[in-house]
Amino acid sequence: MKPRPAYRIFRGTALTVVVLGLVAPLVWMVAASFKTNVDIYDPGKALAFAPTLANYAKVLQQANYVEFILNSLWVAFAATVASLVLGVPAAYSMSRFNMKKSALVVLMARVIPGVSLLVPWFYVFSNLKMVGGFGVLIISHMFVSLPLVVYIMMGYFDSLPTELEEAALVDGLTHVGAFRRITLPLSVPGVATAGILSFIFSWNNFMFALVLSDADTKTLPVAIFDFVGYASIDWGGLMAATTVVTLPICVIALFVQKYVVSGLTAGATKG
């Protein structure tokens, strides 16, 4: 049945409002990154202005943002790899051996606000002389990434048929061998989805890095606040820095969206 005209109008209007609400701030941010502070405050130059690259030069040269980019890449990559190495086998065990209590603990870790752990973490890691290093940042980012990996992969493993593993066990493989040779190759799309989302969450993480990093290990989300002073805000530099943080993740999400969607919906049609 064809949708009624009123429904088509409502659907088109709703989609337009949602898209504009999501895209408009990004467009304003990118446009402001090419403006001077004077042009940003001038409503008459909202669209017609002389673009400048001075803000990006300030970000990439004067503010040492290349170092902060490398810090963010290292922390996000290390946290993602560690979360996959630990989370994928854990999710397989919970899925295949019906470990409901362990899955509940993982779910609770996923929904607990991270801010509630910052004070005890800071106390423990400061006593261990780890605050300010990359190790504590990677461990703290894993608190977000690891439950996410387990949650996604449990759904993916639930959607895979167990008959292939049972046949492998009959042929003489152990459970570890069946996982390594049969299940893991079939779950590559789910692993890719979990890895992509883990990297994105770690890249965007601000709260943990703000408290647990120092001047040499701070990541891009924290470095953005170098443009916010007590007396004034360098809006041009701030928007350029924010664009440097945001656009890479937007590009990655654009190219891998089909893998993310397929991984997140895995298990929804099981049975």
Side-chain angles (χ1 to χ4, degrees):
M1 296 178 61
K2 293 183 178 180
R4 297 179 179 180
Y7 174 74
R8 291 200 299 267
I9 295 174
F10 171 77
R11 182 179 61 183
T13 303
L15 289 175
T16 302
V17 171
V18 171
V19 171
L20 288 178
L22 294 175
V23 174
L26 295 177
V27 173
W28 184 89
M29 176 187 70
V30 175
S33 68
F34 291 100
K35 297 180 182 181
T36 64
N37 287 330
V38 175
D39 290 343
I40 292 175
Y41 283 104
D42 188 354
K45 294 185 178 181
L47 299 177
F49 61 93
T52 177
L53 295 175
N55 296 322
Y56 287 95
K58 185 187 305 181
V59 167
L60 298 177
Q61 296 176 7
Q62 300 177 14
N64 297 326
Y65 260 64
V66 174
E67 178 182 350
F68 302 144
I69 292 173
L70 295 178
N71 289 347
S72 290
L73 287 173
W74 166 239
V75 172
F77 176 78
T80 298
V81 172
S83 297
L84 290 175
V85 170
L86 297 175
V88 172
Y92 174 77
S93 299
M94 294 178 191
S95 173
R96 288 295 184 261
F97 300 106
N98 199 25
M99 302 170 65
K100 300 297 184 182
K101 293 182 179 180
S102 298
L104 179 61
V105 172
V106 173
L107 181 60
M108 292 178 61
R110 182 71 185 90
V111 300
I112 290 176
V115 67
S116 63
L117 299 176
L118 268 180
V119 173
W121 275 4
F122 182 82
Y123 177 78
V124 171
F125 289 128
S126 62
N127 288 332
L128 296 175
K129 308 299 182 183
M130 293 178 62
V131 173
F134 285 111
V136 67
L137 288 178
I138 294 171
I139 293 173
S140 63
H141 285 207
M142 284 178 60
F143 173 76
V144 177
S145 302
L146 187 57
L148 179 68
V149 170
V150 173
Y151 185 76
I152 292 175
M153 292 308 301
M154 281 186 62
Y156 203 90
F157 287 135
D158 287 341
S159 69
L160 296 178
T162 59
E163 287 78 6
L164 295 176
E165 296 174 38
E166 293 171 354
L169 294 176
V170 171
D171 290 338
L173 287 178
T174 62
H175 284 287
V176 175
F179 167 72
R180 182 170 59 86
R181 296 188 181 185
I182 305 297
T183 308
L184 189 58
L186 293 175
S187 61
V188 170
V191 174
T193 301
I196 292 166
L197 292 178
S198 174
F199 185 88
I200 291 174
F201 277 104
S202 181
W203 178 274
N204 293 331
N205 194 298
F206 167 77
M207 182 172 53
F208 296 154
L210 178 65
V211 176
L212 301 174
S213 65
D214 61 13
D216 295 327
T217 60
K218 66 181 178 181
T219 56
L220 272 178
V222 179
I224 288 176
F225 276 82
D226 290 342
F227 295 95
V228 179
Y230 290 105
S232 62
I233 299 177
D234 182 3
W235 285 106
L238 182 62
M239 292 301 102
T242 307
T243 302
V244 171
V245 175
T246 305
L247 286 188
I249 293 301
C250 291
V251 172
I252 292 175
L254 181 64
F255 283 100
V256 301
Q257 59 176 331
K258 63 178 181 180
Y259 301 104
V260 175
V261 173
S262 63
L264 291 177
T265 57
T269 58
K270 182 184 178 185

